[in-house]
Amino acid sequence: MSLQSLEVGIAGHPSASQAPSGDRHVLCAFPGGVLVGVLDGLGHGVGASEAARIASETLVEHADEPLESLISRCHERLRPERGVVMSLASFLDGQGMMSWVGVGNVEGLLLRGDRQADQADKFLLVRPGVVGVRLGFLKSAVLPVGPGDTLVFATDGIRPDFAERVGRALPAQKIAGHILLQHSKGRVEEVLMVVRYRGEG
């Protein structure tokens, strides 16, 4: 799978203080699939930004590994740092499948492109904890995905009620912009990522 199999939209605001942001996204193709994710460093400022940087670099370096392994690697590397919360998804080559997992409070939502199909929209069940500080048992979920299915990840600067009014027919970047405009809490940093699966080919 290449990045051309996905349509991606990114939106967000830096912190009001203009300090380095601890909110980041990850988008990385690897042999066998594509890894996407959103991370939020604990707290604000330089410490949060550094924790998010270390985690994002670790994810890209080992993007082909299972999601549980990726989070465990981040957990070990972040022990001297503040820690992060994150949600990740891996789209797998030729399988029409996506695995996803989350730790902390990065919201995840999978919107079905074909609402007549026998597949309902899904919310990511995030696990409690902070990567690098405390981490419980992790088990990623695996879901079938079809053309037009759209994944949304959003940090806690976005109100979770965004899921109620997503214009799923819009291009991914417009969805991201609309969510940011209508559901930002304001005065805090935030990042959201919208990923539409186009299908193989």
Side-chain angles (χ1 to χ4, degrees):
M1 178 187 291
S2 69
L3 294 178
Q4 283 67 43
S5 300
L6 304 176
E7 176 191 350
V8 179
I10 306 292
H13 288 143
S15 64
S17 67
Q18 299 302 309
S21 176
D23 288 25
R24 286 180 174 240
H25 73 276
V26 170
L27 174 64
C28 181
F30 60 88
V34 177
L35 174 71
V36 302
V38 166
L39 304 80
D40 184 356
L42 207 63
H44 301 282
V46 174
S49 177
E50 179 66 5
R53 181 192 66 79
I54 291 170
S56 62
E57 290 179 356
T58 303
L59 294 172
V60 169
E61 184 179 352
H62 301 281
D64 60 336
E65 296 185 4
L67 298 182
E68 296 91 342
S69 174
L70 288 175
I71 292 177
S72 293
R73 284 186 180 275
C74 290
H75 185 65
E76 291 305 315
R77 287 197 62 186
L78 287 170
R79 285 188 183 277
E81 308 295 334
R82 290 191 185 182
V84 302
V85 293
M86 67 172 70
S87 288
L88 306 174
S90 188
F91 292 86
L92 306 177
D93 258 357
Q95 299 181 30
M97 305 295 285
M98 179 194 82
S99 58
W100 65 349
V101 67
V103 178
N105 58 352
V106 176
E107 298 282 343
L109 171 65
L110 180 65
L111 299 166
R112 296 300 184 178
D114 182 0
R115 304 190 76 175
Q116 306 303 314
D118 188 26
Q119 298 289 342
D121 295 346
K122 296 287 187 181
F123 286 92
L124 174 62
L125 177 62
V126 293
R127 305 294 180 178
V130 176
V131 181
V133 179
R134 59 186 183 281
L135 193 62
F137 175 77
L138 292 178
K139 177 66 174 175
S140 61
V142 179
L143 301 174
V145 289
D149 287 355
T150 302
L151 171 67
V152 183
F153 282 147
T155 61
D156 63 352
I158 302 295
R159 298 193 309 274
D161 62 351
F162 77 83
E164 298 171 6
R165 293 189 301 163
V166 175
R168 68 182 73 207
L170 295 172
Q173 187 59 52
K174 285 195 173 182
I175 293 175
H178 284 192
I179 292 174
L180 182 67
L181 181 65
Q182 297 172 6
H183 300 278
S184 172
K185 294 178 181 178
R187 300 186 304 279
V188 295
E189 57 195 23
E190 70 256 312
V191 165
L192 65 99
M193 186 176 197
V194 179
V195 180
R196 175 169 292 138
Y197 178 64
R198 290 175 168 151
E200 306 286 340

